[in-house]
Amino acid sequence: MAEMTTPKIELRAIRKSFALSRGQVRPVLDDITFSAQPGEFVAVIGPSGCGKSTMFNIMAGLEGASSGELLVDGDVITGQHEHCAYMPQKDLLFPWRSILENTSLGLEVAGETKKAARARAASLFAAFGLSGFEDAYPFELSGGMRQRAALLRTVVQGRDVLLLDEPFGALDSLTRTDMQSWLQGVWSQNAWTAVLITHDIREAIYLADRVVVLSPRPASVRLNLTIDLPRPRGLSMTTSAEFAEYERTLLATLHEETLSSRKP
Amino acid sequence: MKSSITVKRALAPRTTVRAALAPPAAILTALVITWQVAVTAGGVQPAILPSPQRILQQGWQARATIWENTLPTLQETFLGFAVSLTVAWTLAILIDFSLGLRRALVPLLVASQAIPIIAIAPLMVIWFGFGMLPKVIVIALVTFFPVTVGLIDGFNRTDRDAINLLRSMGANRWKQFVYVRLPSALPSFFTALRIGIAYAVTGAIFAEYVGAERGLGIYMAMMKNSFRTDLVLAAVAVTAFVSVCLFLLTYVAERAIIPWHSKERRSRHG
């Protein structure tokens, strides 16, 4: 089925290397190829420092690729930034803006009037569990709420693809589990296409339709695993036999990667 | 957590103004008492070192003259500082937008601070006379540097990830400046403003000292020449008082313009 429709976003043989001093070149991405179908949630995991952030910067149009193509709806869009909405690791809520003003920032930057931008963002507050906090300031919110506000700021931009860069990495594990099950819930009610970077295997299986495993730097795709678990997924599913099987497969792939990278 | 309308404010109890003023006031009082006792007991001549009591007495008697001389000094300070702020903001914004201008201007800015004001100020009188202009120039010259540097530094301290976020939203350089770099720089601006204002009043006094029609600086110079050490020190006390008031005023401005800054800081350190 995946081969039949045009992917929402597709990376074709993306390579990226950085010039070092004295003419040396450090390859960071080596032939990254994968795609996400419309409405699909793809998780990308890989050893730390493997170049995931560079990959995201290219997808968000913040950096160019050395070679390869990025496609949205079948059109080449390498280097453009209008297609992906980016949620960085840090929530980056600005202390001088209220939560409503923070969440409507992307729309304002895109040229909408303040009033229209704020009205659009405000309409999502209930779904994001932020009702009543429109006029609060970021420092008044808990870590989980701040991440939800950052996600709202990402979603409300109405871009084709959401890029989530370890959105829950800084949260304590209880809040993190809460956020994962909440995200899983809002996900099932929306037709968002998303690519999530994480180094949490369980988070990847729990949230994603497909998990892409990257090798150590220079990164290439080593495994593209479809997670065939029914939705909506409850927390109890994380203890099921199938879940454990996926976890074993991913762990083995990652572990093998890490081991082989240590060999001379 | 879900629908609570009340926002919990995790603010630390504020230090009251009285609690902040008490320790310095106590130390100041102790110093003044020591001074008074030493002068009285030692029988020092008032022309050499007057007692605090005498300074107060004589200063109060001369209050009309001192006030007449305080007003022009204040005027010069405000005008000079306004010029300084205009120059600082213009330079800092230009430098923030252009790497070429940064390379061209920053060395000159640093060099401008090597100008010995003590040698230039008398020349200012020769060039521009005894009026307002030379004072405004001296004040602007001594205060624009810390403010400019504070601003440039503030713009540069903007989180790189925040810039990337804005870029991913499609913000051009100007929008990045307005939405992130400018607000990020405001806390450093207020710190720089405090350094600048501390120099501004002394700058004004100094500019007047070398030649003026009226002002606390020229008043001090004249009183010194007639051996009225007590009135010189009375004018010094007024100068110090004015400086402290202006310094405190920057906090008022900071609270008014960037209320989020102190709130956020308190919540973090609370």
Side-chain angles (χ1 to χ4, degrees):
Chain A
M1 167 215 138
E3 286 74 27
M4 306 295 280
T5 50
T6 312
K8 193 72 198 171
I9 188 162
E10 186 179 2
L11 288 82
R12 275 192 202 156
I14 296 272
R15 287 170 204 270
K16 175 81 177 179
S17 40
F18 290 105
L20 301 172
S21 57
R22 279 175 289 161
Q24 284 176 307
V25 169
R26 171 189 288 161
V28 175
L29 300 179
D30 180 26
D31 191 12
I32 301 282
T33 300
F34 72 90
S35 64
Q37 296 300 319
E40 198 181 21
F41 196 131
V42 174
V44 177
I45 57 176
S48 47
C50 77
K52 289 173 290 194
S53 292
T54 306
M55 184 188 84
F56 252 27
N57 284 345
I58 292 171
M59 292 171 79
L62 299 176
E63 279 179 46
S66 303
S67 69
E69 286 175 337
L70 180 67
L71 296 91
V72 164
D73 291 328
D75 299 323
V76 178
I77 57 124
T78 322
Q80 297 177 19
H81 56 64
E82 295 87 1
H83 302 277
C84 296
Y86 177 49
M87 177 176 175
Q89 286 175 27
K90 291 182 267 180
D91 60 59
L92 290 176
L93 296 171
F94 298 139
W96 53 86
R97 299 190 134 226
S98 70
I99 297 303
L100 184 59
E101 289 164 345
N102 263 295
T103 51
S104 60
L105 179 68
L107 295 173
E108 249 182 74
V109 167
E112 273 198 42
T113 63
K114 277 185 188 177
K115 209 179 156 195
R118 283 169 200 182
R120 188 120 73 89
S123 67
L124 289 173
F125 267 58
F128 281 71
L130 292 167
S131 297
F133 288 89
E134 286 85 350
D135 296 326
Y137 280 81
F139 72 89
E140 296 169 314
L141 268 59
S142 67
M145 295 177 86
R146 291 171 67 112
Q147 284 315 112
R148 285 204 297 268
L151 184 65
L152 199 163
R153 178 185 62 198
T154 317
V155 166
V156 77
Q157 295 176 57
R159 302 279 178 91
D160 296 307
V161 180
L162 306 178
L163 302 177
L164 314 176
D165 189 356
E166 291 186 41
F168 311 135
L171 300 175
D172 63 86
S173 70
L174 262 178
T175 314
R176 194 176 177 146
T177 314
D178 273 353
M179 289 291 291
Q180 289 163 354
S181 74
W182 170 79
L183 180 60
Q184 203 277 132
V186 283
W187 194 263
S188 53
Q189 291 156 24
N190 291 278
W192 299 326
T193 309
V195 180
L196 166 85
I197 284 182
T198 179
H199 48 224
D200 182 340
I201 292 177
R202 297 175 63 85
E203 178 172 284
I205 303 168
Y206 180 59
L207 291 174
D209 301 308
R210 213 140 45 76
V211 178
V212 171
V213 182
L214 298 183
S215 69
R217 201 171 62 201
S220 58
V221 176
R222 283 299 156 87
L223 182 68
N224 199 328
L225 182 69
T226 303
I227 307 294
D228 203 6
L229 293 173
R231 285 181 188 272
R233 296 174 186 167
L235 272 177
S236 57
M237 190 170 281
T238 58
T239 51
S240 70
E242 294 132 296
F243 196 97
E245 186 52 43
Y246 285 127
E247 204 176 341
R248 217 176 348 260
T249 311
L250 290 173
L251 205 58
T253 314
L254 267 175
H255 199 58
E256 163 198 321
E257 292 303 345
T258 320
L259 282 183
S260 67
S261 76
R262 288 207 188 108
K263 284 176 194 162
Chain B
M1 179 173 83
K2 262 179 199 160
S3 61
S4 85
I5 307 290
T6 48
V7 173
K8 206 173 117 195
R9 291 176 191 271
L11 299 184
R14 278 169 70 167
T15 10
T16 59
V17 176
R18 193 180 296 178
L21 286 182
I27 290 178
L28 192 66
T29 312
L31 283 175
V32 168
I33 290 173
T34 316
W35 178 358
Q36 177 76 39
V37 169
V39 169
T40 320
V44 185
Q45 275 185 32
I48 310 263
L49 183 65
S51 71
Q53 192 202 354
R54 190 188 162 91
I55 295 169
L56 199 68
Q57 231 168 33
Q58 296 301 312
W60 182 252
Q61 265 177 26
R63 63 185 182 277
T65 326
I66 292 179
W67 177 242
E68 262 169 39
N69 285 292
T70 306
L71 277 181
T73 305
L74 271 177
Q75 251 177 350
E76 289 156 10
T77 306
F78 280 121
L79 200 61
F81 207 53
V83 171
S84 166
L85 287 184
T86 314
V87 171
W89 275 96
T90 312
L91 284 176
I93 292 174
L94 286 176
I95 286 171
D96 191 56
F97 274 87
S98 157
L99 186 64
L101 277 180
R102 175 188 303 265
R103 287 187 181 141
L105 287 177
V106 170
L108 293 181
L109 292 185
V110 177
S112 79
Q113 293 311 292
I115 296 174
I117 300 290
I118 202 158
I120 291 290
L123 294 182
M124 294 276 183
V125 176
I126 298 173
W127 295 334
F128 306 110
F130 290 87
M132 196 81 128
L133 184 61
K135 281 87 190 171
V136 169
I137 295 176
V138 169
I139 295 166
L141 207 56
V142 293
T143 58
F144 90 98
F145 185 71
V147 182
T148 312
V149 171
L151 273 173
I152 295 175
D153 189 48
F155 293 142
N156 278 333
R157 224 182 285 170
T158 309
D159 194 332
R160 263 193 69 85
D161 295 328
I163 298 288
N164 277 340
L165 176 69
L166 264 285
R167 284 179 58 210
S168 83
M169 291 171 171
N172 58 22
R173 187 64 176 75
W174 175 248
K175 281 186 176 171
Q176 291 166 29
F177 180 80
V178 172
Y179 284 109
V180 197
R181 295 180 80 85
L182 177 62
S184 297
L186 288 178
S188 329
F189 167 68
F190 279 101
T191 307
L193 190 71
R194 281 191 261 286
I195 301 171
I197 204 94
Y199 286 142
V201 183
T202 14
I205 301 286
F206 187 77
E208 291 167 353
Y209 206 90
V210 294
E213 282 154 12
R214 287 194 307 150
L216 282 174
I218 193 67
Y219 178 77
M220 286 179 204
M222 290 187 316
M223 291 305 108
K224 188 208 78 180
N225 291 340
S226 44
F227 301 101
R228 289 304 303 271
T229 317
D230 47 357
L231 290 179
V232 175
L233 290 176
V236 168
V238 170
T239 312
F241 180 74
V242 167
S243 287
V244 170
C245 286
L246 291 179
F247 194 77
L248 293 178
L249 211 58
T250 65
Y251 282 98
V252 176
E254 187 179 15
R255 285 267 165 89
I257 295 170
I258 50 169
W260 50 268
H261 180 58
S262 52
K263 281 188 206 156
E264 206 213 5
R265 202 169 37 187
R266 251 180 282 140
S267 79
R268 258 189 289 138
H269 301 301

